[in-house]
């Protein structure tokens, strides 16, 4: 893994402001690393000792009689972290209302009147996929259409198949559902790509002004983990796009030299093309639950959200490293050199791996 320098921003102004407030709570929860000292990553994978997070407090004390209303709380958080590195917000409770509260803390909204909610889902959809009850409140709040992809690079899974799966999973009871690549592909240009000059996404992609990307952060045998960057690249891809990623832009059955590294770099470049096409009009949520790598169940961690997909995935990786019984998950991450996709994503300008963690209570 390439060396990368992760700068921990020491937000002294925020610290003194928090100390001055009688209602503030320090370190409501411990992020993967609570050290405020600068550190540098080595060739070893990120662990709680070298993660890119910093500690800060969450919301004012809810026990006060003069408790601010939710909108006021959100405004205070936005002012406090206006000049910070990407802020990753977290709630431990995994419910639909908690997810909505987290979304409302992001200090920004999706622009435009046509909003899509991309929901990452396996093929076929099953009990480990995001439950409709978890998605209902936020999908209705943003007034979005749920979008999914056909998921296979050989075209073996049709749009009709995926729509049927979505209906059986309960997604059609929440909102309209569209399979992005049901009617083919549209090209997206890739700027300064090492491997890709063009990417292919579902033909319905241009019909929406902005996307809320909701992913289940879980172990994945090919990418090491699934998350925001994986959804943005593989998830939005049509069958043609998935073949481009696997072949390093050649759309060939021939496996390129250094195939896995090429694949990870192509993922990052594809994700950047999606972000560029939307002028960054995307928001990201990762759900960390239903962990069963290697047959060992980990405890649920929570829901994390950010405006930056790289920062969000890095925070999730850091939480996995510090979680109890995560050895099997970590082994998959390291076997696939999975964090390299975040390194290359940062290099091509998709996001920033440094972040500030804020826990919402």
């Amino acid at each position: 893994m390439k060396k990368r320098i992760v700068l921990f921003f020491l937000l002294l102004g925020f610290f003194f402001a928090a100390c001055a407030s009688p209602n503030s709570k320090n370190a409501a929860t411990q992020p993967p690393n609570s050290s405020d000292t600068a550190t540098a990553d080595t060739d070893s994978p990120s662990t709680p000792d070298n993660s890119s997070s910093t500690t800060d407090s969450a919301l004012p004390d809810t026990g006060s009689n003069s408790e601010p209303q939710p909108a006021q709380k959100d405004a205070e958080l936005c002012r406090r972290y206006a000049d910070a590195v990407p802020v990753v917000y977290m709630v431990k409770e995994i419910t639909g209302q908690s997810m909505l509260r987290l979304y409302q803390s992001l200090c920004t909204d999706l622009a435009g009147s046509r909003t899509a909610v991309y929901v990452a889902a396996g093929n076929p959809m099953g009990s480990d996929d995001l439950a409709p009850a978890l998605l209902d409140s936020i999908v209705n709040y943003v007034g979005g259409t749920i979008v999914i992809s056909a998921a296979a690079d050989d075209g073996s899974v049709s749009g009709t198949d995926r729509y049927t799966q979505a209906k059986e999973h309960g997604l059609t009871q929440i909102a309209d559902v569209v399979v992005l690549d049901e009617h083919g592909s549209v090209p997206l240009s890739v700027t300064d790509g090492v491997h890709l000059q063009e990417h292919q996404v579902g033909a319905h992609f241009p019909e929406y002004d902005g996307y809320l990307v909701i992913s289940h952060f879980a172990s994945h045998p090919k990418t090491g983990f699934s998350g925001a960057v994986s959804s943005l690249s593989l998830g939005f891809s049509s069958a043609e796009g998935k073949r481009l990623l696997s072949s390093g832009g050649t759309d060939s059955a021939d496996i390129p030299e250094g195939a896995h590294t090429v694949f990870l770099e192509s993922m990052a470049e594809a994700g950047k093309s999606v972000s560029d096409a939307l002028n960054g009009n995307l928001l990201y949520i990762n759900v960390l639950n239903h962990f069963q790598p290697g047959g060992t169940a980990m405890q649920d961690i929570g829901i994390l959200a950010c405006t930056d997909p790289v920062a969000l995935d890095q925070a999730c990786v850091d939480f996995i490293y510090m979680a109890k019984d995560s050895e099997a998950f970590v082994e998959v991450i390291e076997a696939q050199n999975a964090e390299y996709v975040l390194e290359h994503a940062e290099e091509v300008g998709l996001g920033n791996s440094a972040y500030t963690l804020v826990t919402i209570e």
Side-chain angles (χ1 to χ4, degrees), residues 193-211:
V194 176
H195 306 288
L196 302 183
Q197 284 73 51
E198 182 181 272
H199 181 45
Q200 295 281 337
V201 296
H204 291 290
F205 171 80
E207 297 174 7
Y208 304 96
D209 301 312
Y211 284 79

Side-chain angles (χ1 to χ4, degrees), residues 5 70 74 83 118 125 135 155 157 170 198 258 260 281 287 295 297 311 327 356 360:
I5 304 302
D74 292 341
D83 298 323
Y118 174 83
M125 298 182 194
L135 303 169
V157 181
E198 182 181 272
H260 189 64
N281 192 26
V287 181
E327 293 83 2
T356 299
I360 306 298

Side-chain angles (χ1 to χ4, degrees), residues 131-292:
L134 187 63
L135 303 169
D136 190 9
S137 294
I138 196 165
V139 171
N140 281 282
Y141 179 82
V142 302
T145 298
I146 294 176
V147 298
I148 56 178
S149 69
D153 62 4
D154 60 1
S156 60
V157 181
S158 70
T160 301
D161 293 336
R162 288 297 272 173
Y163 184 82
T164 300
Q165 292 177 15
K167 184 176 182 179
E168 292 174 350
H169 191 61
L171 295 182
T172 57
Q173 297 178 22
I174 299 173
D176 292 337
V177 174
V178 170
V179 180
L180 284 177
D181 54 339
E182 181 177 10
H183 298 115
S185 304
V186 293
L188 299 181
S189 62
V190 177
T191 303
D192 299 327
V194 176
H195 306 288
L196 302 183
Q197 284 73 51
E198 182 181 272
H199 181 45
Q200 295 281 337
V201 296
H204 291 290
F205 171 80
E207 297 174 7
Y208 304 96
D209 301 312
Y211 284 79
L212 171 60
V213 180
I214 307 180
S215 308
H216 179 214
F217 193 88
S219 177
H220 192 282
K222 187 172 182 180
T223 62
F225 57 80
S226 58
V229 173
S230 176
S231 291
L232 201 59
S233 53
L234 287 167
F236 280 72
S237 297
S238 62
E240 293 85 354
K242 289 176 175 63
R243 290 197 297 269
L244 283 173
L245 298 189
S246 297
S247 64
T250 65
D251 196 14
S252 168
D254 296 332
I255 303 299
E257 184 178 354
H260 189 64
T261 297
V262 170
F263 171 62
L264 294 176
E265 290 176 343
S266 298
M267 280 180 60
E269 294 169 16
K272 181 63 161 53
S273 74
V274 172
S275 180
D276 288 347
L278 293 164
N279 295 315
N281 192 26
L282 299 114
L283 298 173
Y284 307 91
I285 294 175
N286 283 356
V287 181
L288 287 80
N289 69 345
H290 295 167
F291 300 113
Q292 293 181 328

Side-chain angles (χ1 to χ4, degrees), residues 19-91:
C19 291
S21 172
N23 289 329
S24 66
K25 291 184 179 180
N26 284 326
T29 64
Q30 290 296 322
N33 179 22
S34 59
S35 172
D36 282 332
T37 59
T39 186
D41 278 349
T42 64
D43 286 334
S44 62
S46 177
T47 68
D49 292 332
N50 62 13
S51 70
S52 55
S53 65
T54 58
T55 305
D56 214 298
S57 57
L59 296 176
D61 191 337
T62 56
S64 170
N65 291 331
S66 58
E67 178 189 0
Q69 296 301 308
Q72 294 173 308
K73 291 180 179 181
D74 292 341
E76 170 60 26
L77 282 174
C78 294
R79 285 192 297 270
R80 182 180 299 180
Y81 297 104
D83 298 323
V85 292
V87 179
V88 175
Y89 294 94
M90 175 189 182
V91 290

Side-chain angles (χ1 to χ4, degrees), residues 93-102 104 133-134 137:
E93 182 182 54
I94 302 178
T95 66
Q97 287 300 312
S98 294
M99 181 181 286
L100 177 58
R101 177 72 182 89
L102 195 66
Q104 293 169 332
L134 187 63
S137 294

